[in-house]
Amino acid sequence: MKPVKVGLMGLGTVGTGVVRIVEGHQEDLQGQVASPIVISKILVKDRAKARSISVDHGKLTEDPWEIVRDPEIDVVVEVMGGIGSTKEIMLEALERGKHIVTANKDLMAMHGPEILAKAKEKGCDVFYEASVAGGIPIIRTLIEGFSSDRITKIMGIVNGTTNYILTKMSQEGAAYADVLKEAQALGYAESDPTSDVEGLDAARKMTILATIGFRANVSLEDVDVKGISSVTQEDIQYAHQLGYEVKLLGIAERQDDFISVSVQPTMVKRGHPIASVNGVFNAVYVHGEAVGETMFYGPGAGELPTATSVVADLVAVVKNMKLGVNGRQASVSYKEKKLKTDEQIASKYFLLLHVEDRAGVLMQIAQVFSQYDVSIESVMQPATPGQKGAELIISTHAVSKASMNEVLKAFAELSSVQTIKSVYRVEG
Amino acid sequence: MKPVKVGLMGLGTVGTGVVRIVEGHQEDLQGQVASPIVISKILVKDRAKARSISVDHGKLTEDPWEIVRDPEIDVVVEVMGGIGSTKEIMLEALERGKHIVTANKDLMAMHGPEILAKAKEKGCDVFYEASVAGGIPIIRTLIEGFSSDRITKIMGIVNGTTNYILTKMSQEGAAYADVLKEAQALGYAESDPTSDVEGLDAARKMTILATIGFRANVSLEDVDVKGISSVTQEDIQYAHQLGYEVKLLGIAERQDDFISVSVQPTMVKRGHPIASVNGVFNAVYVHGEAVGETMFYGPGAGELPTATSVVADLVAVVKNMKLGVNGRQASVSYKEKKLKTDEQIASKYFLLLHVEDRAGVLMQIAQVFSQYDVSIESVMQPATPGQKGAELIISTHAVSKASMNEVLKAFAELSSVQTIKSVYRVEG
């Protein structure tokens, strides 16, 4: 049995996990693919650096092209990240007939169509299960498990850092800034946390999920993004009073082939399966016309969980090699993308307003809602002793985003509304 | 494009769903497989019976062999159930080179190896995603998503009827017998509920999941089964007091390649993801050495959810036909089955004893535990005013099943223990 040779690009957290699994589970892997799988070259930034695993020093290289140009290498496993030069390297690897397994969400969200087109042209596989939700095999599930269904909604907690922060805020009553610092100290958040807390990381993952789930090429620019940096403890307390949890949700929806994708802090009704997904765990809730409600839960990051997905993809590539069917999967994106307008995007909302405390204010506010056809589910005015002015907590029925924007614009011009403190989408 | 012809065997709940999806999603399906998929013959018990969907009467037949012998038919979709004659029909269909998609858990749990061997011999596909957990693509996930990992534990709520009954008992304080009657009236339970409530249905599904997850041929006889008919409201109340829910769990475990599989009412710690799976929903929790904790949640039965899985399998068969790789998947069961002995099966337990209310009894009981090396986590003696005797609620640390059996035997002989009212496995 000729061994299958793998060039591993990147020996950070995930790369180390890939080495551990390929070596540690070699017997199991051979049981499935009937060939040894050998990592024959490893791209690193610094060959001299000390490693937490023992690797044959002769396999290490600092030059990616050494892997790309090696005719012996069948599969490139890319876990180094990056976009610009990484894309060039991947395209050249495909040009030379190498299959690709990648965990790179940025690359696939921004250049997925180009890379997949090149793969198709060259008859190569490109698999990227690990790019979304770490150890959860959600890409496979969407492509194969629900091939028969029409998916209408995908809601994802796809960023562990923000879910950790929101869980801590919810369970311990801590302030955003304090929990962020703690998450940074524990290594759950980067020293520059922007990509996570502003929702950009989640937006990239939702781009990938929406493209696959709706079979149309969704771009990162199509995603409406808002992060969690403005979520306050006060918001969370009010959410609890109403029976909700605040979660950073990616939401991709489809109706009559019109699509919308967004990422925003969302109030999720307790009892909805995604409301109880806590800590660094990820989950993807999928609603299909026929199947109804499903949810897939697991670790969203980490050395071994992410490497599990990478190596499962590697097994899939090798099985295809044995069958001679690499690159033969039908393209998943065969539908024309049609984006919903703000008039077509409907959801329930939660608003927290700081208003003047005098007679007639509520009537003014009610008039604005009525003017834009926004139907109110409930209005609460909690006691705020000692504070100047009053607080109003308003829940709406499902209403178009366009109408809600009009309402918010009107409030901004209304002198009796002193501050629009919070606006949340509501689910569940 | 030559259409792919399907012979559908069974036009009950699932069969009707298959017709609806194949017809309703035809355009989507063609987008993926680049061929029309046509149901050309349908096996029914009574051609004259009125149907909830309109089907071409000329397609209906009461003779299964008409489908088996039709050389035009590429794929048999078997959703009629049964074991004896169904097995013969399936084997003959394979003999004639037809691929099979089946939702038949009994058939696959009891004759899976024979059917899969015949399929391999004839180069045919046999897919059976719908046989376990209805709309949840758990079989795919175990085979492909976790191909790289070593699965150590599978815990499943794989029977909707019993989960509905236990949820009602937990949430509404109702008695088992009353909820069962209600479930029967609603059509969630059969008029003879034995297969569901005694755990046999769950055992068949766990046989299939353990075989795939552990890559060894587990038999139905290997599964230790206990149903929910002895679960009392008192048990559930005590479980709640201790922070647990009572669930009928299928549990398949592996340690050093030694396997155990069981189905039993289990006390699951609240906060464990599977503890909050309620009503007729199913869920399968999978723990892998590398991936850690994951869970897959969705509808376990019903016309369209189950048909979603059936038609997804049909899509997979047709894709394989296009690639010319039917029957080429490596067999998943390549490991020798080694069953754990009672000494090797370890878990925590909950016991409810009715004992004499006098000094020294607790000491006697403690002595029995100590004699068999069973370590106690907690003992509670709730107030039972007006009752004769006392109740003892005992939680143990993890202990072997063999030791627990010895303890129970000793209690049966101890005059101070009047009744062993309940024994539960504890998880989470």
Side-chain angles (χ1 to χ4, degrees):
Chain A
M1 288 182 304
K2 190 166 164 270
V4 171
K5 291 202 175 168
V6 175
L8 176 64
M9 294 195 177
L11 194 56
T13 304
V14 180
T16 302
V18 170
V19 173
R20 277 192 223 280
I21 292 180
V22 169
E23 291 182 352
H25 295 186
Q26 185 62 226
E27 194 188 328
D28 273 330
L29 299 177
Q30 283 196 37
Q32 293 173 76
V33 302
S35 273
I37 296 178
V38 176
I39 296 172
S40 62
K41 282 207 171 77
I42 304 175
L43 175 68
V44 294
K45 278 193 198 134
D46 177 6
R47 289 186 73 209
K49 189 181 160 186
R51 309 273 164 194
S52 68
I53 44 166
S54 80
V55 285
D56 176 355
H57 216 257
K59 290 183 176 178
L60 301 182
T61 172
E62 294 176 9
D63 177 11
W65 301 102
E66 203 183 309
I67 290 175
V68 173
R69 290 190 196 115
D70 184 341
E72 294 274 296
I73 286 177
D74 306 291
V75 190
V76 171
V77 171
E78 186 273 300
V79 290
M80 61 185 172
I83 302 171
S85 66
T86 304
K87 184 184 117 183
E88 297 315 312
I89 293 166
M90 294 304 108
L91 289 173
E92 183 59 25
L94 289 168
E95 189 62 45
R96 290 164 184 256
K98 297 188 196 318
H99 311 295
I100 289 175
V101 173
T102 176
N104 193 329
K105 64 190 170 292
D106 304 341
L107 184 71
M108 293 311 295
M110 294 163 85
H111 305 295
E114 187 180 348
I115 288 171
L116 294 171
K118 173 61 81 179
K120 200 175 175 186
E121 179 198 325
K122 306 302 291 186
C124 292
D125 286 336
V126 173
F127 292 146
Y128 47 103
E129 184 65 73
S131 66
V132 181
I136 309 173
I138 185 66
I139 291 181
R140 272 193 172 71
T141 297
L142 290 175
I143 295 178
E144 293 171 22
F146 296 140
S147 60
S148 55
D149 205 0
R150 270 200 285 261
I151 292 168
T152 51
K153 192 168 192 173
I154 303 172
M155 294 203 292
I157 293 179
V158 289
N159 179 274
T161 304
T162 48
N163 202 45
Y164 173 86
I165 291 172
L166 292 174
T167 301
K168 280 270 176 180
M169 288 176 74
S170 172
Q171 293 180 347
E172 295 173 11
Y176 170 76
D178 297 336
V179 183
L180 174 58
K181 257 181 233 156
E182 192 192 323
Q184 286 171 320
L186 287 167
Y188 291 159
E190 313 267 346
S191 55
D192 175 1
T194 312
S195 168
D196 289 321
V197 301
E198 297 307 340
L200 308 174
D201 174 83
R204 290 178 196 130
K205 292 164 178 168
M206 291 309 297
T207 303
I208 296 172
L209 292 182
T211 294
I212 294 169
F214 300 150
R215 298 164 191 151
N217 274 322
V218 175
S219 319
L220 191 51
E221 296 76 47
D222 302 330
V223 186
D224 192 19
V225 189
K226 191 184 165 195
I228 64 163
S229 55
S230 59
V231 174
T232 66
Q233 188 53 237
E234 185 185 28
D235 295 344
I236 290 177
Q237 292 307 318
Y238 283 137
H240 287 182
Q241 281 179 34
L242 295 166
Y244 291 84
E245 292 289 345
V246 175
K247 295 289 179 190
L248 183 70
L249 286 196
I251 304 180
E253 293 177 292
R254 173 165 67 170
Q255 200 173 17
D256 304 331
D257 275 347
F258 284 88
I259 291 170
S260 69
V261 188
S262 61
V263 171
Q264 64 273 299
T266 305
M267 292 205 179
V268 188
K269 190 95 179 166
R270 284 177 179 162
H272 189 287
I274 212 162
S276 53
V277 174
N278 288 325
V280 295
F281 275 91
N282 280 15
V284 181
Y285 165 97
V286 180
H287 184 276
E289 264 182 24
V291 76
E293 293 192 284
T294 62
M295 194 178 85
F296 307 91
Y297 167 94
E303 178 187 310
L304 290 174
T306 310
T308 300
S309 286
V310 170
V311 182
D313 276 352
L314 183 55
V315 167
V317 169
V318 178
K319 282 187 179 173
N320 283 350
M321 286 171 64
K322 298 278 164 170
L323 298 172
V325 296
N326 300 97
R328 296 281 301 279
Q329 270 79 359
S331 170
V332 291
S333 316
Y334 52 84
K335 291 205 171 191
E336 186 197 348
K337 176 178 71 184
K338 292 182 249 176
L339 292 177
K340 282 189 187 184
T341 63
D342 282 359
E343 280 72 28
Q344 290 173 301
I345 299 173
S347 76
K348 298 166 94 175
Y349 285 91
F350 164 102
L351 276 82
L352 176 57
L353 305 179
H354 192 75
V355 301
E356 280 185 68
D357 192 6
R358 61 171 175 80
V361 169
L362 187 57
M363 198 193 68
Q364 279 190 341
I365 286 168
Q367 267 174 348
V368 171
F369 280 116
S370 156
Q371 188 184 343
Y372 296 105
D373 258 345
V374 171
S375 157
I376 301 301
E377 187 179 83
S378 72
V379 179
M380 280 167 47
Q381 182 170 343
T384 48
Q387 271 195 38
K388 225 183 137 194
E391 308 243 293
L392 284 184
I393 300 170
I394 301 162
S395 316
T396 76
H397 289 289
V399 45
S400 80
K401 194 176 165 187
S403 297
M404 185 47 64
N405 285 341
E406 292 294 340
V407 165
L408 294 174
K409 222 158 73 185
F411 284 162
E413 283 163 16
L414 211 60
S415 65
S416 56
V417 175
Q418 295 173 331
T419 330
I420 300 171
K421 292 178 76 172
S422 308
V423 181
Y424 284 86
R425 184 170 171 152
V426 175
E427 289 289 334
Chain B
M1 289 182 304
K2 191 167 162 268
V4 171
K5 290 201 176 168
V6 174
L8 177 63
M9 295 194 176
L11 194 56
T13 304
V14 180
T16 302
V18 170
V19 173
R20 276 193 223 279
I21 292 181
V22 169
E23 291 181 353
H25 296 187
Q26 186 63 225
E27 193 189 327
D28 273 331
L29 299 177
Q30 284 195 36
Q32 294 173 74
V33 301
S35 274
I37 296 178
V38 175
I39 296 173
S40 62
K41 281 207 172 77
I42 303 175
L43 175 68
V44 293
K45 278 193 198 132
D46 177 5
R47 289 185 72 207
K49 189 181 160 185
R51 309 276 164 192
S52 68
I53 44 167
S54 81
V55 285
D56 175 355
H57 216 257
K59 290 184 176 177
L60 301 183
T61 171
E62 294 176 10
D63 176 10
W65 301 103
E66 204 183 309
I67 290 175
V68 173
R69 290 189 196 116
D70 184 341
E72 294 274 294
I73 286 176
D74 307 291
V75 190
V76 172
V77 171
E78 186 274 299
V79 290
M80 62 185 171
I83 303 171
S85 66
T86 305
K87 184 183 119 182
E88 297 316 313
I89 294 165
M90 293 304 108
L91 288 173
E92 183 60 24
L94 289 168
E95 188 62 44
R96 289 164 185 256
K98 297 188 195 319
H99 311 294
I100 289 175
V101 172
T102 176
N104 192 329
K105 63 190 170 293
D106 304 341
L107 184 72
M108 293 311 294
M110 295 165 84
H111 304 295
E114 186 180 348
I115 288 171
L116 294 171
K118 172 61 81 179
K120 200 174 176 186
E121 180 199 325
K122 306 302 290 186
C124 291
D125 286 337
V126 173
F127 292 146
Y128 47 103
E129 183 64 75
S131 66
V132 181
I136 310 173
I138 185 64
I139 290 181
R140 272 193 172 72
T141 297
L142 290 176
I143 294 178
E144 293 170 21
F146 296 141
S147 61
S148 55
D149 204 0
R150 271 200 284 262
I151 292 168
T152 51
K153 192 167 192 172
I154 302 171
M155 294 203 292
I157 293 179
V158 288
N159 179 274
T161 305
T162 48
N163 202 46
Y164 174 85
I165 292 172
L166 292 174
T167 301
K168 279 271 176 179
M169 288 176 74
S170 172
Q171 293 180 346
E172 297 174 10
Y176 170 76
D178 297 335
V179 184
L180 174 59
K181 256 181 235 157
E182 193 192 322
Q184 286 171 319
L186 287 167
Y188 291 160
E190 311 268 346
S191 55
D192 175 1
T194 313
S195 168
D196 289 321
V197 301
E198 296 307 340
L200 307 174
D201 174 84
R204 289 179 195 129
K205 292 164 177 168
M206 291 308 298
T207 303
I208 295 171
L209 292 182
T211 293
I212 294 169
F214 300 152
R215 297 164 191 151
N217 274 322
V218 175
S219 318
L220 191 51
E221 297 75 48
D222 302 330
V223 187
D224 192 18
V225 189
K226 191 184 164 195
I228 65 162
S229 55
S230 59
V231 173
T232 66
Q233 187 54 236
E234 185 184 28
D235 295 343
I236 289 177
Q237 292 307 319
Y238 283 136
H240 287 181
Q241 280 179 34
L242 295 166
Y244 290 85
E245 292 289 345
V246 175
K247 293 289 178 189
L248 183 70
L249 286 196
I251 304 179
E253 292 178 293
R254 173 165 68 168
Q255 199 172 19
D256 304 331
D257 274 347
F258 284 89
I259 291 170
S260 69
V261 188
S262 61
V263 171
Q264 64 275 299
T266 305
M267 291 204 178
V268 187
K269 190 94 179 166
R270 283 176 179 164
H272 190 287
I274 212 163
S276 53
V277 174
N278 288 324
V280 295
F281 275 91
N282 280 15
V284 181
Y285 165 97
V286 180
H287 184 276
E289 265 182 25
V291 77
E293 292 191 285
T294 63
M295 195 177 84
F296 307 91
Y297 168 94
E303 177 186 311
L304 290 174
T306 309
T308 300
S309 286
V310 170
V311 182
D313 276 353
L314 182 56
V315 167
V317 169
V318 177
K319 282 187 179 172
N320 283 350
M321 286 171 65
K322 299 277 163 169
L323 298 172
V325 296
N326 300 98
R328 296 280 301 279
Q329 270 79 359
S331 169
V332 290
S333 315
Y334 52 84
K335 291 205 170 191
E336 187 197 347
K337 176 178 71 185
K338 292 182 249 176
L339 292 177
K340 282 189 187 184
T341 63
D342 281 359
E343 280 72 29
Q344 290 173 301
I345 299 173
S347 76
K348 298 166 93 173
Y349 285 91
F350 164 100
L351 277 82
L352 175 57
L353 305 179
H354 192 75
V355 300
E356 281 185 66
D357 192 6
R358 61 170 174 80
V361 169
L362 187 58
M363 199 193 67
Q364 279 189 340
I365 286 168
Q367 267 174 348
V368 171
F369 280 116
S370 156
Q371 188 184 342
Y372 297 105
D373 258 345
V374 172
S375 157
I376 300 300
E377 187 179 82
S378 73
V379 179
M380 278 167 49
Q381 181 171 343
T384 49
Q387 271 193 37
K388 227 183 135 192
E391 307 243 292
L392 284 184
I393 300 169
I394 301 161
S395 316
T396 75
H397 288 289
V399 44
S400 80
K401 192 176 166 189
S403 297
M404 184 47 66
N405 285 342
E406 292 294 341
V407 165
L408 294 174
K409 223 159 71 184
F411 284 163
E413 284 163 15
L414 211 61
S415 65
S416 55
V417 175
Q418 295 173 331
T419 330
I420 300 170
K421 292 179 77 171
S422 307
V423 181
Y424 284 86
R425 185 170 171 153
V426 175
E427 289 288 335

